[in-house]
Amino acid sequence: MSAEEILPILLLQLQNNFALTEDEAKVISQPQIFDGYKLSVECFAKSNCKYFSEENGLNPFNSVMYTNFLYQISHLLYKEGYSQIADKVYYLNKMLNGVDLFYAIELPEHWNCEHPLGSVMGRAKYGDYFFFYQGCTIGGNHTDYPVLGDHVTMYSNSKVLGKCFIGSNVVIGANAYVKDSDIPDNSMVFGQFPNLIIKPNKNIDVMWKNNDLKPLECYNRIKM
């Protein structure tokens, strides 16, 4: 669907759940808000999502696409000073898709997910081409927060917490728990802190099209 086709669906959902005011509806309908649609389309155009085509646009009844779209809208509203409306869009995303993507969190230009139910993307510095599955958590440990490189993929129920530096082209395995730890470039990480298992990742990230990662140069730095 186009942005114009999705807008009345979004307005009806917000009105039915949060008693959207006329002024708030006008803000949602402003042309610049459609920038959120463009940002979401850009994410899917670069990804290998089999359910997306640029010809058909976004499907608001596909949880992955709508998760991305609602985050983009809430984030733009927040940046433009409409925090109360951003709250409603953020909460709508939690209700419909079961994912916690707070609008003040700065997700990268290109990010995507699959089966995002139960995932919480908290405060962190996110690298580009980030991807996560269900039940994933990123967040702080006291006042320390993670830093992620480009092309990081988190598989189901994995966690990254605290003072972590996660390199580029890193796969965080299912159920892995990374806390206050550094993971080098081109790695796969498994297990639970403090007994993490780190192995070389010889694969290029297949979640995205036209992957522009440089040839892998970091194997000698990875401790087996």
Side-chain angles (χ1 to χ4, degrees), residues 118-164:
S119 288
V120 180
M121 297 296 111
R123 187 178 300 174
K125 183 177 180 181
Y126 293 86
D128 212 4
Y129 300 102
F130 173 64
F131 197 101
F132 65 91
Y133 285 85
Q134 66 270 25
C136 295
T137 301
I138 289 183
N141 180 23
H142 300 293
T143 59
D144 294 319
Y145 298 91
V147 176
L148 281 66
D150 297 338
H151 291 277
V152 172
T153 299
M154 297 181 68
Y155 280 88
S156 61
N157 300 307
S158 59
K159 303 174 183 64
V160 177
L161 301 176
K163 192 176 181 180
C164 300

Side-chain angles (χ1 to χ4, degrees), residues 9-29:
I9 297 172
L10 174 61
L11 288 173
L12 187 61
Q13 290 169 336
L14 291 169
Q15 176 62 43
N16 287 343
N17 286 285
F18 308 112
L20 201 68
T21 68
E22 289 186 10
D23 288 341
E24 289 174 333
K26 290 178 181 178
V27 170
I28 291 286
S29 302

